[in-house]
Every structure is written in structure tokens, then in C-alpha cells.
């Protein structure tokens, strides 16, 4: 069990949504909002300053979007956990975020209690996905398995193949 509140940085370009989310999270005893940002560039500065446990991050933002921000956060010496929090169910966004190292991908239609539980799971080192996007992940993995060669053919193997 996590004893101290989980420190969260909220990153979303829509001020009204961001402030509403912060207000909602403030009512949850096991979460503590330590800062807010309206784009990825601001988020990177705040992560260095505030050292949050989790960055709750939108994808579609001006200046520096969520995908670019995930990539930059993962290059830090001690990166925080990253949970994408978005309306985007687009497969490219989802797969890019996961490949770059997002620890979770949650849709904004989530119930408050489910959001709380998901953030706690991520803080514990588990992943979190909204049920609506799991099919996209499974299909992407299946497609990758079918089309990706496990190991490239060596020059010698290619010579043998040509001889045959």
C-alpha cells in the first residue's frame, strides 16, 4: 500500500477541463496535485522542479504535444510515471504513446473512482488502459507479430539461400 499521497502533475491545454480535473483530484486523499501545465514544454520544466510521481498528460496540445512530451520525459535521468489522459482513441496515438514509454492510456470518459484506482495502479508499477482501447493494442501486437521478422538474414544465410 502506498502511504504518502501520489504526487500528480496535470497537463492539458484546456484550462476549464484542467482546473475541473484538479478540483476532482483534490478530493481524493491518496492523490496530491503538485502542479499544472498547458503544454509539454511547460510540463518538462515543472517535472524538473516538482518531481511528481505521475504526469497525467493530454495528447493534443499546442507547442509540444503529448507524444513529444512522453519522448522527452523518458530521456530524463529519473522520469516520472506517465499516464496519457485523452479523448483520442486513434490507434497511432495509442501505439506511439505506449512504444515511447507511457505507463497508462486512459480516456477522459472514465469515472472518477476508476481514474483514482488507475493512478494508484500506475504508481505501484502496473499499467492502466481504458477498456475501449485494449482491442487496438491487441490488434497492433498481432499485426506486428505477423509482419516483423524476428531476426534479419545474415549474409552467409543469404548466400546459402541463393545457392539453393
Amino acid at each position: 500500500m502506498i502511504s504518502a499521497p501520489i504526487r500528480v502533475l496535470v497537463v492539458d491545454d484546456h484550462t476549464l477541463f484542467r482546473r475541473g480535473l484538479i478540483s476532482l483530484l483534490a478530493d481524493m486523499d491518496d492523490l496530491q496535485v503538485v502542479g499544472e501545465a498547458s503544454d509539454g514544454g511547460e510540463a518538462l520544466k515543472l517535472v524538473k522542479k516538482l518531481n511528481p510521481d505521475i504526469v497525467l498528460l493530454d495528447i493534443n496540445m499546442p507547442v509540444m504535444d503529448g507524444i513529444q512530451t512522453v519522448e522527452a520525459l523518458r530521456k530524463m535521468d529519473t522520469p516520472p510515471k506517465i499516464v496519457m489522459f485523452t479523448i483520442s482513441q486513434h490507434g497511432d496515438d495509442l501505439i506511439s504513446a505506449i512504444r515511447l514509454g507511457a505507463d497508462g492510456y486512459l480516456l477522459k470518459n472514465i469515472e472518477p473512482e476508476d481514474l483514482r484506482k488507475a493512478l494508484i495502479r500506475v504508481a505501484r508499477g502496473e499499467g492502466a488502459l481504458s477498456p475501449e482501447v485494449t482491442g487496438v493494442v491487441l490488434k497492433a501486437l498481432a499485426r506486428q507479430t505477423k509482419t516483423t521478422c524476428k531476426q534479419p538474414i545474415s549474409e552467409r544465410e543469404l548466400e546459402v539461400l541463393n545457392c539453393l
Side-chain angles (χ1 to χ4, degrees), residues 1-2 4-8 30-31 53-54 80-83 103-104 115-128:
M1 185 96 193
I2 297 171
I6 299 163
R7 298 168 42 84
V8 180
D30 28 23
L31 303 173
D53 300 311
I54 296 176
K81 303 284 187 191
I82 304 167
V83 176
D103 300 287
L115 174 61
R116 185 187 73 77
K117 289 176 181 177
L119 293 176
I120 291 169
R121 282 195 312 272
V122 169
R124 290 180 180 156
E126 301 170 25

Side-chain angles (χ1 to χ4, degrees), residues 5 13 15 22 30 45-46 52 57 63-64 73 86-87 91 96 109 111 117 130 134 141 148 154 156 160:
D13 60 319
T15 306
I22 290 168
D30 28 23
K45 291 174 189 170
L46 287 174
L57 180 63
V63 183
M64 183 178 200
L73 287 169
T86 182
I87 61 167
S96 292
N109 65 356
E111 291 294 323
K117 289 176 181 177
S130 284
T134 55
L141 285 172
T148 304
S154 70
R156 180 66 182 141
V160 171

Side-chain angles (χ1 to χ4, degrees), residues 9 11 39-45 47-48 54-86 92-106 122 128:
L9 174 66
V11 186
D39 65 64
E42 281 183 56
L44 293 175
K45 291 174 189 170
V47 166
K48 291 176 185 174
I54 296 176
V55 175
L56 195 55
L57 180 63
D58 191 13
I59 285 185
N60 299 311
M61 298 181 294
V63 183
M64 183 178 200
D65 71 23
I67 300 298
Q68 295 167 321
T69 306
V70 171
E71 190 169 19
L73 287 169
R74 284 294 170 232
K75 291 178 182 174
M76 292 181 159
D77 290 335
T78 53
K81 303 284 187 191
I82 304 167
V83 176
M84 307 311 292
F85 195 52
T86 182
D92 289 343
D93 289 340
L94 171 61
I95 300 305
S96 292
I98 291 171
R99 281 197 175 126
L100 290 171
D103 300 287
Y105 196 98
L106 302 173
V122 169

